[in-house]
Amino acid sequence: MELLFDNIRRYVSLTEEDQNIISSYWTIKQLNRGEHLLSAGSVCRYDAFVLEGSLKGYIIDAATGKEEIVLLAVADWWAADLDSFHNQHASSLNISAITPATVALITRAAFNELLEKLPKLEKYFRLILQSHATALLRRIYYRNAHDARSRYKTFLQQYPSLQAQIPQYLIASYLGISAEMLSKIRAQKDL
Amino acid sequence: MELLFDNIRRYVSLTEEDQNIISSYWTIKQLNRGEHLLSAGSVCRYDAFVLEGSLKGYIIDAATGKEEIVLLAVADWWAADLDSFHNQHASSLNISAITPATVALITRAAFNELLEKLPKLEKYFRLILQSHATALLRRIYYRNAHDARSRYKTFLQQYPSLQAQIPQYLIASYLGISAEMLSKIRAQKDL
DNA sequence: TAAAAAAATTGAACTGGTTCAAGAAATGAT
DNA sequence: ATCATTTCTTGAACCAGTTCAATTTTTTTA
């Protein structure tokens, strides 16, 4: 849980007392490799903060059956279908563990209660959503304006640690590249 | 300003008094066609809420000089580089008026003051950022998983009103399609 | 309302990236 | 340790969408 406190403290200050309150609203869960946190068709019951390991969020294409990676999450990142979580309707997203993982989970009811008890967390969640939205807009820009090789290079620079934690073919899908193409890009010497 | 109040009231309740406070923090501005609200290289001074007309947010590619549309905004939408606005560093984004437009502007200093005065707005901004992030993630998914024709069809369904307000070649860029391709897609009878 | 500018169309040549297929390498489970 | 599964690689054929170029249509401005 220290990881979560540190994350929050980057945006708002926390007293010892605050930390105890926060702790009480969360559950720690271990996920096996491949285990699902969210399955398409069901409501997203938890907002998850990753403590260890890596998760993927993906959508199965109705026509082709292919999985499209829309999000990747490692330690210190959030993973959830926010829309489904907050509005309690069926999600079209799957979230599962790529490697064995440890996550801190909070339900929507607990989330709302926690925000009432500690209103300063409104600001924290507003600020992380803001940087999240900024990151998503940058992803869109790179997807539209740059070729596959350049997108991969930028990805490596921006998230150097992910390369070791996430299989290549998932990174390819996340970047909107075929697994074969990414392999060929990596084979180029002048990367 | 009624448009902004209505927008806020979709998420939190507002008293007459609240509305007066809010009003005092905003400035109304008219933009001519083509006029810039933000230019790449400068800090984003305002968070803008569009009252009338339409705006585009774009990045000029350093190599090719081509403009890539990353956001479109019409009445009832927000337009800003949030990262630059809140962290006060140079933006790489341009925002300008596609048509003559009316916008409500707030500076960062005023924004922070307003939130201190009316903490309930923390929740409002958290919630709109949340739906914004959801919309951005959906854009990424469609961009990666669907061909140009299908992306355009989905765009028309999701934002039927934009077709009349935004030139086709800007919609094309927004969707990651060349202007020529979109024209050919539209020429297909069975759209 | 005429001239100028902006936006949309169409066709032809081209290309970045996909798909398919088959094998090699790495990793996980028992 | 060994077998099974997952991940990565490589090549060949193909194609969705781009680029370039020229023209028409629509919109804006004076």
Side-chain angles (χ1 to χ4, degrees):
Chain A
M1 287 295 284
E2 269 309 317
L3 196 60
L4 177 54
F5 296 145
D6 286 348
N7 191 293
I8 297 175
R9 263 192 246 104
R10 287 211 282 273
Y11 298 96
V12 297
S13 61
L14 289 181
T15 66
E16 195 74 28
E17 169 67 4
D18 291 340
Q19 295 191 17
N20 292 336
I21 295 173
I22 293 172
S23 290
S24 69
Y25 284 92
W26 295 80
T27 319
I28 306 291
K29 190 176 181 200
Q30 305 288 338
L31 296 173
N32 297 322
R33 179 180 141 87
E35 190 175 349
H36 277 72
L37 195 61
L38 169 62
S39 298
S42 57
V43 171
C44 182
R45 295 182 55 206
Y46 308 106
D47 196 357
F49 181 79
V50 182
L51 299 172
E52 283 176 355
S54 51
L55 309 189
K56 63 181 177 184
Y58 61 98
I59 292 179
I60 301 291
D61 185 276
T64 65
K66 267 191 60 184
E67 104 178 9
E68 287 289 335
I69 302 297
V70 298
L71 70 88
L72 294 172
V74 293
D76 211 31
W77 293 29
W78 292 91
D81 178 339
L82 288 180
D83 193 27
S84 171
F85 180 73
H86 287 283
N87 306 126
Q88 298 282 294
H89 56 55
S91 175
S92 48
L93 201 65
N94 301 273
I95 299 179
S96 69
I98 298 174
T99 62
T102 314
V103 291
L105 301 178
I106 190 166
T107 64
R108 176 161 165 278
F111 183 88
N112 289 339
E113 231 179 282
L114 175 58
L115 283 189
E116 298 234 333
K117 209 158 210 162
L118 281 181
K120 69 166 81 161
L121 290 184
E122 288 276 5
K123 171 170 255 154
Y124 165 69
F125 284 109
R126 174 171 68 79
L127 292 173
I128 58 164
L129 275 171
Q130 199 175 274
S131 53
H132 185 227
T134 300
L136 290 173
L137 198 65
R138 184 168 33 232
R139 260 173 86 185
I140 290 172
Y141 165 65
Y142 277 108
R143 180 65 177 92
N144 285 346
H146 297 285
D147 66 13
R149 183 159 165 282
S150 146
R151 298 205 299 280
Y152 180 60
K153 277 176 73 170
T154 304
F155 174 86
L156 289 183
Q157 280 169 13
Q158 194 170 15
Y159 306 115
S161 71
L162 292 207
Q163 200 185 5
Q165 301 179 69
I166 315 268
Q168 232 184 92
Y169 75 105
L170 295 178
I171 293 175
S173 174
Y174 175 86
L175 294 174
I177 308 174
S178 68
E180 294 90 338
M181 188 67 210
L182 183 53
S183 172
K184 283 162 191 164
I185 288 168
R186 282 167 49 87
Q188 297 169 202
K189 294 203 190 66
D190 59 332
L191 200 76
Chain B
M1 285 295 285
E2 268 310 315
L3 196 61
L4 177 54
F5 296 144
D6 286 348
N7 191 294
I8 296 174
R9 265 193 245 104
R10 287 210 283 273
Y11 297 94
V12 298
S13 61
L14 289 182
T15 64
E16 195 74 28
E17 169 67 3
D18 290 340
Q19 294 190 18
N20 292 336
I21 295 173
I22 293 172
S23 290
S24 68
Y25 284 91
W26 295 80
T27 319
I28 306 291
K29 189 176 183 199
Q30 305 289 336
L31 296 173
N32 297 322
R33 178 180 144 87
E35 191 175 348
H36 277 72
L37 195 60
L38 169 63
S39 298
S42 56
V43 171
C44 182
R45 295 182 56 205
Y46 307 106
D47 197 358
F49 181 79
V50 182
L51 299 172
E52 282 176 356
S54 52
L55 309 189
K56 63 180 177 184
Y58 61 98
I59 291 178
I60 300 292
D61 185 275
T64 66
K66 267 191 60 183
E67 102 177 10
E68 287 289 334
I69 301 297
V70 297
L71 70 88
L72 294 172
V74 294
D76 211 31
W77 292 31
W78 292 90
D81 178 339
L82 289 181
D83 194 27
S84 171
F85 180 72
H86 288 283
N87 305 127
Q88 298 282 294
H89 56 54
S91 174
S92 47
L93 201 66
N94 301 274
I95 298 178
S96 69
I98 299 175
T99 61
T102 314
V103 291
L105 301 179
I106 190 167
T107 64
R108 176 162 166 277
F111 183 88
N112 288 340
E113 232 178 281
L114 174 58
L115 283 189
E116 298 235 333
K117 207 158 210 160
L118 281 182
K120 68 165 82 161
L121 290 184
E122 288 276 5
K123 170 169 257 152
Y124 165 69
F125 284 109
R126 176 171 67 79
L127 292 174
I128 58 164
L129 275 172
Q130 198 174 274
S131 52
H132 185 226
T134 300
L136 290 173
L137 198 65
R138 185 169 33 234
R139 259 173 85 184
I140 290 172
Y141 165 65
Y142 277 109
R143 180 64 178 92
N144 285 347
H146 297 285
D147 66 12
R149 182 159 164 281
S150 147
R151 297 205 300 280
Y152 180 59
K153 278 175 73 170
T154 305
F155 174 85
L156 289 183
Q157 281 167 13
Q158 194 170 15
Y159 306 114
S161 69
L162 292 208
Q163 199 185 6
Q165 298 179 71
I166 314 269
Q168 231 184 93
Y169 75 105
L170 295 179
I171 293 176
S173 174
Y174 175 85
L175 294 172
I177 307 175
S178 69
E180 294 90 337
M181 188 65 212
L182 184 52
S183 171
K184 282 162 191 164
I185 287 168
R186 282 166 50 87
Q188 295 170 203
K189 294 204 190 65
D190 60 332
L191 201 78

